[in-house]
Amino acid sequence: MQLTLGDTLSWPARYLPRKEALVAWEGGRRRAWTYGQLDAEVNRHAHGLQALGIARGDVVAAFLYNTPAFVFTLLAAARIGAVFNPVNYRLAPQELAFILQDGQARALVFEREVADVVALTQALLAGESVRPEHWIYAGEGEADATPQGASARLGRWPRTARARRPRSLSMKWTLAS
């Protein structure tokens, strides 16, 4: 059997849906997702990316801290066959602009803490032919205002059914010799 990173949640989500899979501290509070909840979040993010036109082989850059949004974005990109490109959140706008252009990212997912760097990067890339089409803010809370320049927001993507996997990445069974 050939599995991809996008397939890694299938088994535990089905057989261990109530077991904790991801734990994070947000604002001094512990927040946990079970395998079932994590699978649902990854599906929601994958559907959001697909709704923006992100498909197999497209590059999704992540300008994120080590947060749940990083995990959701990584697994959602893998689930739809997109290329996940993690970017160091300490970069200057010029460095971020270079990486986005060089990697031909179609989307950049970012957090509030780096919104100023993203805004400066957008200004640097204005008028360039190679630049992200989608600037996706990873804010989840409704009270959290979406930064200027964000074209989409993770927290507003609807909860839906399982994301469509690319056909070439479906699971294959092979016999061992």
Side-chain angles (χ1 to χ4, degrees):
M1 180 165 72
Q2 183 180 27
L3 295 175
T4 67
L5 181 59
D7 298 320
T8 58
L9 280 180
S10 300
W11 189 91
R14 182 173 181 174
Y15 296 105
L16 304 168
R18 292 182 193 91
K19 185 173 176 71
E20 276 189 359
L22 177 65
V23 177
W25 290 92
E26 295 177 334
R29 293 182 42 222
R30 182 183 191 272
R31 186 158 179 212
W33 288 262
T34 64
Y35 280 106
Q37 292 168 330
L38 179 59
D39 191 53
E41 280 298 315
V42 169
N43 280 332
R44 185 168 71 96
H45 287 74
H47 275 282
L49 291 172
Q50 287 175 326
L52 294 174
I54 305 299
R56 181 176 186 261
D58 289 337
V59 177
V60 176
F63 197 44
L64 302 165
Y65 289 98
N66 294 331
T67 60
F70 184 93
V71 176
F72 302 152
T73 304
L74 165 67
L75 294 172
R79 183 159 284 173
I80 63 173
V83 176
F84 180 75
N85 180 21
V87 180
N88 185 337
Y89 56 81
R90 293 183 177 151
L91 295 181
Q94 297 83 353
E95 296 167 315
L96 177 58
F98 174 80
I99 288 172
L100 295 174
Q101 282 191 302
D102 190 54
Q104 299 180 1
R106 283 203 59 207
L108 174 71
V109 182
F110 67 96
E111 294 174 310
R112 163 80 50 211
E113 293 79 4
V114 295
D116 292 341
V117 175
V118 170
L120 292 170
T121 302
Q122 287 175 316
L124 286 171
L125 294 177
E128 295 288 333
S129 60
V130 178
R131 66 189 208 107
E133 297 170 44
H134 307 287
W135 304 82
I136 306 165
Y137 175 55
E140 292 287 330
E142 285 302 316
D144 189 16
T146 304
Q148 187 173 1
S151 59
R153 181 175 174 160
L154 294 181
R156 298 221 171 104
W157 286 342
R159 301 191 187 292
T160 55
R162 192 156 191 81
R164 296 179 311 273
R165 294 172 194 255
R167 289 187 182 184
S168 63
L169 293 179
S170 62
M171 292 176 22
K172 298 176 185 173
W173 292 89
T174 56
L175 295 175
S177 28

